[in-house]
Amino acid sequence: MRILDRSVYVGPSHYARFPVIKLELDLGELEAWPTARLGQDYVDALAEALPGLGEHGCSYGEPGGFFRRMREDEGTWLGHVLEHVALEVQNVAGEDVTFGKTRSAGRAGTYTVVYEYAEREQGVAAGELALKLLCSLLPEALRPADSVPADWSWPEARDEYIRYAQRRALGPSTASLVHAAEGRNIPWLRLNDQSLVQLGHGRYQQRIQATVTGRTPHIAVELASDKEETNKILATLGLPVPRQELVQSEGQALRAARRIGYPVVTKPYNGNHGRGISIRLTSDEEVAKGYAAAREHARSVIVETFLEGDDHRLLVVNGELVAATRRTPGNVVGDGMHTVAALVEIVNQDPRRGVGHEKVLTRLELDAQAESMLARAGLTAESVPAAGQVVYLRSTANLSTGGTATDVTDIIDPDNRDMAVRAVRAIGLDVGGVDFLSKDISQSYRKIGGGICEVNAAPGFRMHVAPSEGTPRDVAGPVIDMLFPPGSPARVPIAAVTGTNGKTTTARMLAHITKMAGYTPGLTTTDGVYIDGQRTVSGDMTGPVSARMVLADPQIDIAVLETARGGLLRAGMGVPEVNVGAVLNVQADHLGLKGIDTLEQLAEVKRTVAEVATDCAVLNADDPLVFRMSAHTDAKHICYVTLNPQHALVREHIRAGGRACALEAGVNGHMITLYDRGGHIPLVWTHLIPATLEGRAMHNVQNAMFAAAMAFSLGIKLDAIRQGLRTFDSTFFQAPGRMNVFDEHPFKVLFDYGHNAHAVGVMADLAGRLDVAGRRIVVLAGPGDRRDEDLRAIAAAVAGRFDHYICRRDDNLRDRAPDEVPRLQADELRARGVPESAISIIPDEQEAIDAALAMGQPGDLLLVFADALIRSWKQITKFRPAGSASASAPARAPREAAASLLVEQPVEAQAMPSLEGLIRDERGIRFAPEGED
């Protein structure tokens, strides 16, 4: 049994609308060993290792259903068992994940196992640990070789996984803030492997790191870290603080303790989490030890008066006290029968105690610090304390070291409440925790005494949201309400576009419309990420990482995401939902790759964009596969786009008050028309849209319709939509490789990136509709990783439509022979009646384009399908026909001159960092191009 392949989906995919991991699992000979054949002992051993599996309902939908499935009839196969174990391992580490499914992968003994995860790395580790556990329980004769080390121990591996998961997971405080944000429908992005989190998108974002917010003043954090300065500031305001001195040597510590008067406390100058603190020191010897303990954590040590009383944490947010907790150090209570070590074991049996932050409470540990505390009490781990004797194992009351917390918010005296608020304000913190010692928090410090030990920046929330005793407090909510007052925006509108052809042009059109409407758009496309029209990263950026990059940019206030098949199949979408999702078409391309062999399967992948749309799904009513996606979206509106004004189903949709965008014929040409809630809205004549070549380029007419429908669904005003469409053209500068026209030679050149039969056919149709006095010549190719039938279909799409055909290949052979693709396409042309004299095979792209340009005569039309876009466009614009003046270049139209600026500068000169140099996924691995579609 082994894992053949793994895919980690960071967002919605065709498997689920949330993050999942997909494994391709090969059972090998274990295919013949379902759980019933493995026997009751195997099931019982698994139940003992992971008792929580007893709560899994599986197909029965009730606790115990999974084990019932394993035992009855022939049982179930180990792929299905692995799914449940991977989920339960994460549950043990404190994550709430429940979704999984396992299906045959088509080959005997091979399964596709899909399971939900909370954090990427721990999700991957959960699958690997689940595999080891299942293998370790197998009879030795069936156990795969080298699957489990000889000294492997499940309890040790489980606890190590829990610690690993906690190191990777958000801490309790950060997690509580994230959950509070989610409850307010505020999106979030984790920005590193620690606690740095972005709340909100684009220009509305706020950042937190643990409980420090982007609004926390740096000087306030510095002051809170300087315990001596904090003490002075609070003392000058008349707040109760102990007397203290800062020392740098043991001798200074001893002298300070004598001046202050015993008992005293020693603590690091800038420590946290109770590390290095020693309390109730009554002699020079104890002070020397306390100084040494504090010195391990800081160069300077504070010696201060020891104050009697319970340790309280008073939490202040935005000038208000929101919670108060009494903290008790980790301890055991004697019963007169058990040793201290035995009492620790008994306490740790409490189901609320776990490893680290796994549970509400942390396990007690008999470590060096505990032994020191026992020694001070005249005890050892083997001592038997008297009944009722409290034995402390820690000097500080931190939950992370086994302490307990009791909520006292409802009983705190108003004077103590005001004192805490004044202390936090004095330091300047927006979120602060006051450590206050008092014998009775319900009594004013003015009457019974007490004192502030310190003021904490980044106070922990765990003790307040999950106290050992008392009422849990929502302390994260006030922080979120401070950062995002009710009614303030946190999200930017997001539009996603997918389809086989037209995605890039439609996305660029929509981004242009939004810019004309006054927005600052973030755009992801096949050639880069654009912020407010400026390319910031080059490369194929149509996957989830680029989506997150745009949403993290503090400039943008709207996002347009081109979403390609490759990114969806490899890692899913980068956002859990979009406001508007559009599916343009589903055509034969990339079939036979990554398990997608049919158009129906490809449609299921692309359907994800429509499924996650919340406001409107914009669908091509003229494509049956896309039209049927309307049954799979929960969007408030469905907007159908059709070139057929007689479309019966769209007509019924409009009459029912639905939204649509239709192309209607009129005296002056074709009008793009919107329908919504019974209204009829003529938008713009197609011949007024430059990108349509006076309405002849029907594919760009359709792209413009989709852009208009999406913009309308985003709430953009009609005049801005009209202005955007009328100012967007198909120059190389604005839409490289998308029907670019160069007509400054004696002949005209059409330049396009079309790389599948549908796209090539559309361009061939356009070439046929243009007025051409001379010949039509085409430079043809196809990506080498396509199936032979797909490459032949590309050739078939142009056969009989041109006077001469030049067949070439891409620079990247993709495991093909150097002339394999052009010869295969030439064969298809011959089979379809193209004469041999009309076919040239010139494999190299540059040589093929040069040959076509040299062949061009006045009045001819050259249709060039290119792969290396910048190089090929430069080749076309720099070409000088025979007999032209080579010493001086012809004058250029302004837009073409602008395009040449893009083409003629080397990429390095454009200061555009490469994708490989900037983007790393969560594992730090260099990212390949994301979209590939």
Side-chain angles (χ1 to χ4, degrees), residues 437-493:
L437 292 175
S438 173
K439 295 178 180 178
D440 185 353
I441 196 67
S442 67
Q443 298 293 313
S444 170
Y445 73 92
R446 301 178 189 275
K447 294 180 181 179
I448 66 171
I452 298 173
C453 299
E454 57 186 86
V455 177
N456 297 273
F461 285 1
R462 179 187 179 196
M463 68 188 77
H464 306 297
V465 299
S468 316
E469 299 178 32
T471 305
R473 303 290 173 176
D474 175 20
V475 296
V479 177
I480 301 302
D481 290 338
M482 175 185 69
L483 297 176
F484 297 93
S488 62
R491 293 178 175 271
V492 301

Side-chain angles (χ1 to χ4, degrees), residues 315-371:
L315 182 65
V316 176
V317 175
N318 199 26
E320 293 186 13
L321 186 136
V322 297
T325 300
R326 182 176 67 248
R327 302 183 294 179
T328 304
N331 66 83
V332 295
V333 180
D335 59 6
M337 297 181 294
H338 293 90
T339 65
V340 172
L343 291 171
V344 168
E345 290 299 320
I346 292 170
V347 170
N348 283 340
Q349 290 175 9
D350 185 340
R352 296 177 302 167
R353 289 192 182 270
V355 178
H357 296 301
E358 170 198 1
K359 303 282 184 67
V360 172
L361 298 174
T362 301
R363 292 177 186 174
L364 297 177
E365 299 287 345
L366 275 176
D367 54 13
Q369 189 174 351
E371 291 174 357

Side-chain angles (χ1 to χ4, degrees), residues 95 118-125 160-171 174 188 190 192-196 921-924:
E95 300 293 357
E119 294 291 337
R120 177 188 181 125
E121 298 303 327
Q122 67 195 61
V124 171
E160 177 57 33
Y161 172 79
I162 291 172
R163 286 187 285 267
Y164 171 78
Q166 289 178 355
R167 290 194 300 270
R168 304 289 305 184
L170 295 174
T174 310
W188 62 280
R190 189 172 184 177
N192 65 7
D193 290 337
Q194 286 76 46
S195 299
L196 183 61
D921 72 356
E922 291 85 343
R923 296 168 296 173

Side-chain angles (χ1 to χ4, degrees), residues 373-442:
M373 291 294 294
L374 290 173
R376 293 179 60 188
L379 302 172
T380 70
E382 300 307 316
S383 299
V384 178
Q389 180 182 356
V390 178
V391 179
Y392 289 100
L393 304 176
R394 288 291 187 275
S395 59
T396 58
N398 296 80
L399 270 65
S400 58
T401 58
T404 58
T406 302
D407 179 74
V408 294
T409 308
D410 293 333
I411 64 172
I412 186 172
D413 184 89
D415 281 349
N416 299 337
R417 179 186 296 267
D418 293 343
M419 171 209 64
V421 171
R422 287 186 64 209
V424 171
R425 282 179 173 166
I427 302 304
L429 295 167
D430 55 347
V431 180
V434 177
D435 288 346
F436 179 62
L437 292 175
S438 173
K439 295 178 180 178
D440 185 353
I441 196 67
S442 67

Side-chain angles (χ1 to χ4, degrees), residues 116-135:
E116 184 182 0
Y117 71 91
E119 294 291 337
R120 177 188 181 125
E121 298 303 327
Q122 67 195 61
V124 171
E128 295 173 349
L129 182 57
L131 182 64
K132 284 187 177 180
L133 174 60
L134 294 182
C135 289

